[in-house]
Amino acid sequence: MADQTVHDVVIIGSGPAGLTAAIYTARANLNPLVLEGEPSSTSDQPGGQLMLTTEVENFPGFPEGIMGPELMMNFRAQAIRFGAEVQTVKASKVDLSERPFKIWVGDTEAEPTHLAKTVIVSTGAQSIMLGLDREVELIGHGVSTCATCDGFFFRDQEIAVVGGGDSALEEANFLSRFASKVYIVVRRDELRASKIMQDRANANPKIEFLWNTSVVEYVGDKKLESVKVRNNLDESISDLAVTGLFIAIGHKPNTSLFEGQLDMKDNGYLLAQPGRTATNIEGVFASGDVQDDYYRQAITAAGSGCQAALEAERWLEANEEGH
Ligand code: NDP
């Protein structure tokens, strides 16, 4: 049902950026409404990418590390404690052409579901998939983008991780706690991952790198039984007998909702003013990974959520009576 309240702040997305913006705007008595998204098999879900992460060792304040999902539950509880309203729904359409801004949940032909004086966009980014036949069908049946969610199911089995960045190596290290063997399938002869992650993977006896190799086909009817891999040097195809394949080849921003309304970079990330979260539309702020193709860290996302909250608060003070 349409909500006729004109909210001071509606926050779209609930990763570190959105929930930090919620904590700050709630403590500024702006009663933020957070549309946190809906559970899904990808990182486009409440809590964002950290829900698909294992241990987070580099978030300041946790000297022993903390599990990604637990960290996000803490963010959420902190926002709610100060009065943020969190709804487990996904925005289906926005109209930022005039104020109050209009936001729909569900039926995009109906009246707008929410009206807002300011909008903080923190919809994050999500995993890129390989794009092979039957990939979506096989998610949850052997194909995964989430070691934390699915690693447990591969106890004593041979599995593979695709990718050569920090994500792939981190997933492989975590998965080696369950699996009997973890192949890391790398399309070139070089990794992008940081030295410390490379050292850890190299020291892990359960991990084996398959260099210059690409996964080209999923084998198995209802669940994954193996994958076909191509050697990129001699083009030969062979079978790799793994029952699990974890895809960790990078991310794309969740910006389709804002196409034609908010300025974007060539790679689809939102374009904010340098050093700011202000977008091309006054009163609309972009924070976190949705506008960050460079740092992409939980702590930088949280910092940018704080910036967006302060910018929204100041914008309201300057543009609205009674604030
Ligand atoms: P990256 O972009 O760093 O790495 C992506 C990897 O996937 C590259 O090795 C790339 O290969 C490979 N790749 C891309 N497309 C394909 C494809 N179609 N088939 C096969 N391989 C492919 O992404 P990450 O998600 O690993 O990391 C993103 C950022 O997050 C980085 O800055 C990283 O440092 C950070 N991060 C930090 C962590 C930590 O500090 N604990 C943990 C996880 C991530 P190629 O090199 O050939 O392009």
Side-chain angles (χ1 to χ4, degrees), residues 97-108:
S97 62
E98 56 179 9
R99 285 195 287 273
F101 301 122
K102 301 182 188 70
I103 298 149
W104 282 258
V105 171
D107 186 357
T108 55

Side-chain angles (χ1 to χ4, degrees), residues 58 130 162-167 170 187-188 192 249-251 297:
N58 52 9
L130 292 176
V162 184
D166 280 330
S167 299
E170 190 175 77
R187 66 179 173 183
R188 297 185 294 138
R192 265 180 209 260
I249 59 172
H251 300 89
Q297 300 297 302

Side-chain angles (χ1 to χ4, degrees), residues 126-268:
Q126 63 176 296
S127 307
I128 298 173
M129 304 299 288
L130 292 176
L132 300 177
D133 274 356
R134 300 188 308 116
E135 190 160 64
V136 175
E137 269 168 69
L138 287 168
I139 290 178
H141 303 280
V143 174
S144 176
T145 57
C146 176
T148 334
C149 319
D150 301 332
F152 182 80
F153 300 116
F154 296 93
R155 193 172 286 280
D156 299 326
Q157 297 177 40
E158 299 209 346
I159 61 177
V161 176
V162 184
D166 280 330
S167 299
L169 269 55
E170 190 175 77
E171 301 250 307
N173 267 315
F174 175 75
L175 290 165
S176 72
R177 295 186 201 174
F178 306 100
S180 54
K181 171 120 199 166
V182 183
Y183 295 98
I184 302 183
V185 184
V186 185
R187 66 179 173 183
R188 297 185 294 138
D189 60 359
E190 210 180 328
L191 297 169
R192 265 180 209 260
S194 55
K195 180 80 170 59
I196 184 170
M197 298 301 283
Q198 296 196 26
D199 290 346
R200 269 187 217 173
N202 283 324
N204 187 326
K206 284 188 179 174
I207 291 180
E208 180 180 335
F209 285 97
L210 298 179
W211 301 105
N212 299 302
T213 303
S214 294
V215 174
V216 291
E217 194 182 325
Y218 298 125
V219 180
D221 190 13
K222 293 210 161 50
K223 63 185 181 65
L224 193 71
E225 284 159 16
S226 69
V227 294
K228 288 202 187 301
V229 292
R230 181 185 61 219
N231 179 316
N232 293 328
L233 297 179
D234 63 14
E235 305 273 303
S236 62
I237 305 282
S238 57
D239 212 45
L240 183 64
V242 289
T243 48
L245 187 82
F246 289 78
I247 300 170
I249 59 172
H251 300 89
K252 63 178 177 213
N254 299 317
T255 49
S256 54
L257 213 50
F258 311 101
E259 269 165 23
Q261 302 191 63
L262 293 181
D263 287 350
M264 296 179 189
K265 303 180 200 176
D266 289 345
N267 59 8

Side-chain angles (χ1 to χ4, degrees), residues 16 47-54 56 59 67-69 71-72 75 148 298:
Q49 294 169 77
L50 284 187
M51 298 303 284
L52 309 183
T53 311
T54 53
V56 180
F59 199 87
M67 296 305 280
L71 179 61
M72 293 324 300
F75 269 76
T148 334

